[in-house]
Every structure is written in structure tokens, then in C-alpha cells.
Amino acid sequence: MEAYALKDAYLSKLAAQVAFFNQVMKSTKGSGNNTRLVYDRFDKLYDYEKAVTKIRSQFEPDFKTNEEKQEFNFAEKLREFEALKKAGKIKAWEDRTEAEKKIL
């Protein structure tokens, strides 16, 4: 079902691209010397990423967008580092010997 919905979104994107390129050729706002295109970017006509995100979030409960994945939480990373350091899996830079520092 998800694959069908994603394929449908992709086909909608293709149809929107055709409409966009047709529109670019003939559709404008204003009159006289102040004419401009109705849509100056394709994603203003059809936001494919938004459509895919909507579909995938319906079928995948733990789905995260690229923006959500790239969000960096410094406090969380610091807690993770401290836990690994306490478990002895990581050595802090200041705790390393000169020989270990030269390797890195």
C-alpha cells in the first residue's frame, strides 16, 4: 500500500512537472512591462518532499524527515559521551597519553 502511494506521489510529481513547464512557457502575472511568472520555482506548484513525508509518516511510525534527523542536541550528545567515558569505552582527549594523541 505504501509503495502504491509513493508511486502515485511520484506520478503526480511528473504530471506537475509537465504542468509547470507548460505554465512557464505561457502563464504570467501582471501586465505590460510588469509581467512575471505565476510560479517561479517548481516546488511552489508541487512539493514532492512534503507528499513523500506525509505518505511515509502514515505507514512508518518512527519515520523522521531529514531535518529531524539532522537536529543536533548538544546536551544529549554530552550525556552520551559522559556515559561512554564512565563505562571506559571512550577516553577524553585530556586523559590520553602523548603517544595516543600522535596516533590520531
Side-chain angles (χ1 to χ4, degrees), residues 30-41:
S31 62
N33 291 337
N34 295 327
T35 59
R36 61 188 185 282
L37 296 175
V38 174
Y39 298 107
D40 58 345
R41 292 190 337 247

Side-chain angles (χ1 to χ4, degrees), residues 10-103:
Y10 179 72
L11 292 175
S12 295
K13 176 187 171 189
L14 291 178
Q17 280 179 326
V18 169
F20 175 74
F21 293 124
N22 284 333
Q23 180 274 137
V24 165
M25 296 304 291
K26 54 187 166 184
S27 191
T28 58
K29 283 184 181 178
S31 62
N33 291 337
N34 295 327
T35 59
R36 61 188 185 282
L37 296 175
V38 174
Y39 298 107
D40 58 345
R41 292 190 337 247
F42 175 71
D43 62 338
K44 287 186 178 180
L45 177 66
Y46 181 75
D47 191 353
Y48 178 68
E49 293 298 322
K50 184 177 177 182
V52 169
T53 299
K54 182 178 176 185
I55 293 166
R56 291 190 66 192
S57 64
Q58 289 175 349
F59 291 97
E60 300 173 31
D62 58 344
F63 175 74
K64 292 184 178 179
T65 63
N66 289 339
E67 292 83 25
E68 292 170 344
K69 288 178 187 175
Q70 292 177 352
E71 186 176 303
F72 183 79
N73 187 340
F74 183 76
E76 183 181 319
K77 292 294 182 183
L78 185 60
R79 281 192 298 273
E80 182 182 338
F81 173 76
E82 292 297 334
L84 290 171
K85 183 178 171 186
K86 194 174 190 178
K89 295 182 178 181
I90 294 179
K91 270 191 176 179
W93 186 255
E94 61 268 4
D95 296 338
R96 293 175 190 230
T97 64
E98 288 299 318
E100 290 174 326
K101 288 180 181 179
K102 287 181 182 178
I103 292 172

